[in-house]
């Protein structure tokens, strides 16, 4: 298998050491960095849909053989994704402090009634501690995370050795307009975005039409996107994605408006 992965630089503690953004980084520079992180490529694996055709379903590369588990925080009332994974023989560890249990009975799943956070505390658990408690010692996993904006703090504090246990990372990325326009928001999100950029490539992005859009310097941006990332050692090819939307994409709200991706994200992908 051809590998495009270059290992990230680490501190002695095992934490990633991304270069921090310039204090005076402009909105255009922040936009360019974010576009680079989520630039979608065809990576040599056909995309498949896992979960419902609507809310709760995501596009993943068809590279599930050998995956031993899925960690899925923020299940809420949607667990069709985990049910589909169970059909592939992949058990799920689920967490959400807002519900007593998943809506569906998922075979071989384990649920904890806690929210995910940067550090473990009362009614919250860090991703590292959660993995220490349940993850097998060996084998690739999937991370599917929709935690309403907390994803940046959670990923920023996760050591790379833990993040790279995941072959596939599926995220809902929130608060995009704030990250693109506000230096403080960008600085908070930067370590997480850098970790994704260093260790993974994006294979799919889709705007979530439930949260609306914001105009920034003449372009329209969704507040939330769904993004799928593939660990770089699983990449078999690297060609810019060209299908926007993908044939398997579906609107989060079927009766809501269809949102286009910002041209700069698509143009970045096509320029490769």
């Amino acid at each position: 298998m051809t590998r495009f992965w270059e290992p990230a630089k680490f501190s002695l503690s095992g934490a990633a050491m991304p270069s921090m953004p310039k204090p005076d980084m402009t909105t255009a520079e922040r936009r360019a960095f974010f576009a680079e992180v989520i630039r979608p490529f065809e990576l040599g694996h056909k995309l498949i849909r896992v979960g419902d055709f609507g809310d709760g379903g995501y596009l993943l590369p068809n590279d599930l053989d050998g995956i031993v588990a899925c960690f899925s925080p923020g299940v809420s009332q949607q667990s069709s994704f985990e049910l589909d994974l169970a059909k592939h023989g992949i058990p799920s560890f689920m967490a959400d402090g807002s519900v007593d249990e998943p809506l569906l009975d998922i075979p071989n799943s384990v649920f904890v009634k806690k929210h995910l956070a940067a550090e473990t505390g009362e009614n919250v658990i860090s991703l590292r501690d959660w993995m220490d408690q349940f993850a097998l010692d060996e084998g690739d996993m999937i991370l599917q995370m929709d935690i309403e904006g907390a994803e940046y703090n959670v990923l920023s504090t996760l050591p790379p050795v833990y993040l790279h246990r995941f072959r596939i990372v599926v995220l809902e990325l929130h608060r995009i307009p704030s990250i693109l326009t506000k230096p403080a928001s960008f600085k908070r999100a930067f370590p997480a975005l850098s970790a994704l950029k260093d260790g993974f490539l994006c294979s799919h992005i889709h705007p979530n039409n439930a949260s609306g859009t914001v105009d920034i310097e003449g372009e329209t941006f969704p507040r939330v996107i769904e993004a799928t990332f593939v660990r770089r050692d699983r990449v078999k090819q690297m060609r810019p994605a060209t299908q926007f939307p993908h044939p398997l994409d579906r609107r989060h709200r079927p009766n809501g408006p269809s949102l286009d991706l910002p041209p700069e994200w698509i143009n970045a992908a096509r320029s490769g």
Side-chain angles (χ1 to χ4, degrees):
M1 177 180 292
T2 302
R3 298 192 176 193
F4 296 89
W5 177 59
E6 292 289 342
K9 295 179 180 179
F10 305 107
S11 68
L12 294 177
S13 66
M17 300 194 325
S19 299
M20 292 307 294
K22 298 181 298 183
D24 59 347
M25 182 177 283
T26 65
T27 297
E29 289 172 325
R30 291 191 290 271
R31 284 168 54 172
F33 177 83
F34 189 83
E36 187 176 357
V37 175
I38 64 165
R39 180 182 301 169
F41 290 95
E42 295 176 8
L43 302 177
H45 303 282
K46 180 181 178 181
L47 294 179
I48 59 174
R49 190 169 186 95
V50 179
D52 284 345
F53 277 80
D55 186 19
Y58 301 94
L59 270 60
L60 273 64
N62 191 11
D63 186 24
L64 303 183
D65 288 348
I67 290 181
V68 298
C70 171
F71 277 76
S72 182
V75 295
S76 186
Q77 297 298 320
Q78 288 289 342
S79 47
S80 62
F81 181 87
E82 296 81 7
L83 182 60
D84 275 1
L85 287 180
K87 297 174 184 177
H88 289 275
I90 300 173
S92 289
F93 299 102
M94 298 180 284
D96 196 318
S98 67
V99 295
D100 291 329
E101 61 184 8
L103 187 63
L104 301 176
D105 182 16
I106 312 298
N108 301 315
S109 67
V110 178
F111 174 79
V112 294
K113 185 178 171 60
K114 292 185 178 182
H115 289 300
L116 222 60
E119 296 181 358
T120 297
E122 185 177 0
N123 300 320
V124 298
I125 190 169
S126 72
L127 182 51
R128 177 176 182 167
D129 288 347
W130 191 25
M131 292 173 67
D132 282 342
Q133 185 175 357
F134 291 107
L136 298 176
D137 291 337
E138 296 182 350
D140 287 346
M141 300 183 291
I142 295 171
L143 174 63
Q144 188 273 309
M145 185 159 58
D146 177 10
I147 53 176
E148 305 303 325
E151 61 271 12
Y152 303 109
N153 286 340
V154 167
L155 291 178
S156 293
T157 53
L158 185 68
V161 68
Y162 284 77
L163 181 59
H164 293 164
R165 285 294 311 274
F166 298 109
R167 181 188 300 179
I168 300 168
V169 175
V170 185
L171 301 174
E172 293 214 3
L173 295 173
H174 299 78
R175 303 173 183 169
I176 292 171
S178 293
I179 290 170
L180 298 182
T181 60
K182 298 179 180 179
S185 296
F186 179 78
K187 186 175 181 179
R188 284 193 295 269
F190 182 81
L193 296 174
S194 291
L196 292 170
K197 179 176 176 290
D198 289 343
F200 297 80
L201 282 173
C202 184
S203 66
H204 179 255
I205 55 174
H206 179 68
N208 186 316
N209 74 340
S211 301
T213 61
V214 172
D215 289 341
I216 302 172
E217 296 182 345
E219 297 287 354
T220 301
F221 290 84
R223 295 181 184 274
V224 178
I225 63 169
E226 302 162 359
T228 301
F229 298 90
V230 177
R231 201 177 60 216
R232 287 180 179 256
D233 66 320
R234 303 301 298 186
V235 172
K236 297 195 294 185
Q237 68 178 35
M238 192 173 170
R239 291 201 296 257
T242 57
Q243 289 183 305
F244 305 103
H246 188 277
L248 294 178
D249 276 329
R250 295 296 184 273
R251 301 176 192 179
H252 182 95
R253 288 184 177 175
N255 297 325
S258 178
L259 303 184
D260 293 327
L261 292 168
E264 65 187 55
W265 295 356
I266 297 174
N267 291 338
R270 288 177 177 165
S271 66

